[in-house]
Every structure is written in C-alpha cells, then in structure tokens.
Amino acid sequence: MGRCRSLRARRVRRAGAPAAVALLMAALCAGTGPDASASVRTDFDPATVQKLDAAITKIMKQTGMPGLDIGMWVPGRGVYEKSFGVADKQTGTPMKSDLYSRIGSVTKTFTVTGVLQLVDQGKVGLDDPISRYVSGVPGGDGITLRQLAEMRSGLFDYTVDEKWMAGVRADPHRAYTPRQLVDVAFRHPPNFKPGARWEYCNTNTILLGMLVEKVSGQNLDVYLRDHVFAPLKLNATSLPGNGAMPDPHAHGYTDFTPKGTVADATHWNPSWAWAAGAMISALDDLHTWAPALADGRLLTKKTQAERLRTLPIGVIPGASYGLGILDFNGWLGHNGELPGYETIAAQLPAEKATLVVLVNSDIDYQGKNLSGLIGNAVTSIVTPDHLWPAPVGAAKK
C-alpha cells in the first residue's frame, strides 16, 4: 500500500539501520535475539529446520530486523512455526505467535472478497462501471469493477501524491475518510486508458471498499466482520477505524518520517490506507485465511475462477495478478506493508503449502523489503520449484 507498496520499487530510506543493529545486538546479549524463539513448533526434518533457522537468523542480523513471526505448513512434510527477536525494542519483550500485527495490503484480499460475494449475490457485476455505485470518478463510466480489482483502471494512485504523503508523514495520527483519499487521486489525470496495462494502485481498492458500503448498507469493517471474518472464525482480524491496537501486539518500527528517523508506528492511524491496507491480524488467522483465499470457500466456483484468472504484471518475472490476488510462481495470496509492519500470506496449491510472514519493521535493507527477503529464503529451502520472488533493491534518490 503506498507505504504498503507491495510491488512497486521502493526508495532506500536514509536512517534507522545502525540503531536497529545496535538494539538487535543488545537483544542477543539478553537472550531475546533472532536465535531465541519465544514460540516454536517444528516437525520438518532436522536438516530443513537447521537450514531455515540459519537463513532467517542471517537475514535478521544483516538487516537489523527487530522481530518476526514465521509459519510454513506443508501437509505430509512438516510445520515450521517460530517467533524470532523482539516485539518491543524498549522492553526487550520477545515476539510471540499470538501477537496482533498490521497487515498492510493483505487487506486488499479481504476487500475484494467482499466485492466478489456481492457478485455471487447478484447485487453487482464485475463488468459494471464503478460510476454506477460511486460518484465523481473521472472516466468512471468506462472503468469496471473488474479493472479496479485487477489493478488495470488507469487511475492515479493517491499514495504517489508526494505533497499529500508528506502530510501523512508529518501527522501520522490524522484520520481520513475514504472520500478524502479518492479526491486526492482525482486531482490528477488518469495514467492510462482502462485495461491498457497493469499498475498497482491503492485508489482502486478504496473505491471497491466504498462500493461494498454502498451496496451492502454496512460499514466495511462491519461487513467484513459478518461475512468474511466470522464464517472462518478469524477472531484476531479486524479493520480498525483509528490507531488503537488490541493487546497483545507487536510494536512496529518505521523510518517513514519527515527526516527519515526511526519511530514507533504502532498506534499511528491507518485510516489513510483503509480498504487497501489498514487491517490487523495475527499468525493463526492468516494461516486460516491464505488457503481459504486460494480455494475460494467463501465464493461460488464460478466467481473464484474469475478471481484466479491472473494476467502477467510485467514487473516481476513469474508474477501475475487476478482480482485482488497475486500469483507468485504458483503462490496465491498477497504481501503487504504499512509503517512499522510487513506481511506475506500465501498458499501454494501445488503442494497445499501455506506461508505466513509477519515482520514488525518496514525499514528496507539496501532497498529491499524485509518480508520479501524472508519469503524468498524460506521458499528457496522448502519449495525451491516455487520461489517467493526476491525483492529488488531500489535506487537511491
């Protein structure tokens, strides 16, 4: 998302790594560093566990990553479920698998599921124009719900408006309405004609969230609670309306600040991300959600087939995008980023494997996002024929 830039090349940020490394070394001395898992469940063969431990520990030491929850579940082969590092750098409280975390653009998978449920109910059609449901969209008569969900609308992404994003940095506790978000986008001309190409755009998912509210008559958080979270018993998952974090939670660390200094973003207001990136969840819930997303158990087979009809994105080899879902070399799901947090939640149908990564920092390492480094390392060991793509370093500006 904007700062949840799940796919867009990202700038190397200016500060944070030295202090994080120092704190990490202090945690190691205190026995709560990357090798000291607060919660552990493994039944892969010992050699695989050893490789995974070594790879993750190496990345954490290199990057200064404060903490991490990781889950890899492969039926018939094993489980690797561990917590590394600290949830709070001030107190040294260790990470645990039951901690709440912000999940960034993984939110999109839930919002689009809500839209697809309305399709199944006959209340909307994927090829309906968004102007039928949301007013004021430039060229909205020619932009379909399908194009919004598959990131091919051509609309400007409000999180690319640098002046507006500077305001978010300066006052991260400010609340925004969905209309305020899309109005930022609508001040800019479209980037291309609808359907012409793929471009990651948070404006698309905000509009889809507005559609869910208009058609269902419920606030988006209530609709998702009743129709998505509850049927799957996702009791740790929510779409907050303010900066509150339920307890127990991991603190999130970011350098998304006016001067690039490191800050604790735990209680920043995520309303600027809303339907595109503001949700909260935890390891167990995402372990349930990833396979449910991939197999479409909340949808009809026909609508699920529409969701999984992916098209190449033209940015990352082996990557394609469907309706609010990524296909990374056979992994179906999404990654996400919000100040202080990074997430991966994905399912590999070929092996019925599930991968969940939760990191309590979004401070890039040499221009590479932390969750992507972990995802690539873990899949290189467990599913080498189906790699989660390695993040690409961004050029300094």
Side-chain angles (χ1 to χ4, degrees):
M1 164 71 241
R3 260 304 277 191
C4 301
R5 282 170 301 225
S6 305
L7 300 166
R8 190 182 300 125
R10 302 171 53 208
R11 296 187 291 272
V12 173
R13 297 189 278 276
R14 293 172 290 177
V21 170
L23 283 161
L24 181 66
M25 295 310 294
L28 278 167
C29 294
T32 57
D35 331 79
S37 300
S39 52
V40 178
R41 184 182 163 212
T42 63
D43 58 13
F44 274 104
D45 62 276
T48 298
V49 171
Q50 186 176 27
K51 289 178 182 178
L52 289 167
D53 287 349
I56 292 170
T57 300
K58 180 180 178 180
I59 292 171
M60 293 190 73
K61 288 180 177 178
Q62 284 178 335
T63 63
M65 190 187 304
L68 164 73
D69 281 334
I70 173 76
M72 173 67 91
W73 300 266
V74 186
R77 290 184 58 195
V79 171
Y80 182 83
E81 186 178 320
K82 282 196 174 187
S83 300
F84 293 82
V86 297
D88 185 336
K89 295 197 293 186
Q90 284 193 331
T91 65
T93 302
M95 282 291 284
K96 294 176 62 180
S97 61
D98 63 348
L99 300 183
Y100 292 93
S101 180
R102 301 194 189 278
I103 63 172
S105 284
V106 177
T107 303
K108 292 177 172 68
T109 63
F110 291 92
T111 299
V112 174
T113 295
V115 174
L116 296 178
Q117 288 179 326
L118 296 176
V119 170
D120 278 339
Q121 295 164 25
K123 295 180 178 179
V124 303
L126 280 172
D127 296 311
D128 291 349
I130 186 60
S131 60
R132 186 175 300 177
Y133 308 101
V134 180
S135 63
V137 182
D141 288 344
I143 299 173
T144 66
L145 309 189
R146 184 189 304 275
Q147 289 165 338
L148 292 170
E150 65 187 8
M151 300 292 177
R152 292 177 181 269
S153 73
L155 291 170
F156 183 87
D157 184 349
Y158 70 94
T159 64
V160 179
D161 185 309
E162 293 188 4
K163 182 178 179 181
W164 184 79
M165 287 303 291
V168 176
R169 284 188 182 90
D171 184 8
H173 297 284
R174 179 178 172 181
Y176 296 88
T177 66
R179 176 55 70 171
Q180 287 174 323
L181 303 179
V182 297
D183 282 349
V184 173
F186 298 164
R187 292 199 292 261
H188 299 264
N191 293 334
F192 52 87
K193 291 183 179 181
R197 59 186 173 87
W198 183 91
E199 184 176 78
Y200 197 72
C201 175
N202 295 295
T203 306
N204 295 335
T205 321
I206 300 298
L207 287 169
L208 292 176
M210 295 170 73
L211 173 143
V212 171
E213 293 197 331
K214 178 70 177 293
V215 174
S216 71
Q218 293 180 292
N219 289 340
L220 182 61
D221 62 316
V222 176
Y223 178 89
L224 293 177
R225 181 196 67 196
D226 292 349
H227 299 280
V228 181
F229 309 157
L232 296 174
K233 296 182 171 58
L234 304 181
N235 299 322
T237 304
S238 63
L239 178 62
N242 54 39
M245 276 285 277
D247 288 323
H249 58 260
H251 285 250
Y253 301 94
T254 189
D255 58 0
F256 184 64
T257 56
K259 295 184 178 180
T261 52
V262 177
D264 185 332
T266 307
H267 297 291
W268 289 6
N269 193 324
S271 61
W272 66 272
W274 192 53
M279 282 179 50
I280 291 169
S281 192
L283 187 73
D284 280 352
D285 273 19
L286 294 179
H287 178 204
T288 298
W289 174 242
L293 173 68
D295 67 28
R297 69 190 66 170
L298 296 181
L299 304 176
T300 64
K301 290 182 178 179
K302 179 181 177 181
T303 302
Q304 178 67 2
E306 295 281 358
R307 169 152 61 188
L308 298 183
R309 187 175 295 136
T310 63
L311 295 171
I313 66 175
V315 178
I316 302 172
S320 58
Y321 205 90
L323 302 181
I325 192 169
L326 280 161
D327 183 333
F328 272 172
N329 296 321
W331 285 98
L332 299 175
H334 221 288
N335 54 339
E337 181 183 333
L338 203 72
Y341 302 89
E342 292 185 7
T343 306
I344 296 171
Q347 175 82 355
L348 179 62
E351 298 190 30
K352 296 184 180 179
T354 305
L355 171 67
V356 176
V357 178
L358 293 164
V359 180
N360 64 335
S361 171
D362 69 322
I363 300 172
D364 286 354
Y365 173 71
Q366 297 182 354
K368 300 177 181 180
N369 71 306
L370 304 177
S371 59
L373 289 169
I374 294 293
N376 181 255
V378 170
T379 56
S380 295
I381 295 166
V382 180
T383 59
D385 293 333
H386 299 277
L387 296 180
W388 188 267
V392 178
K396 269 190 178 181
K397 276 194 167 184

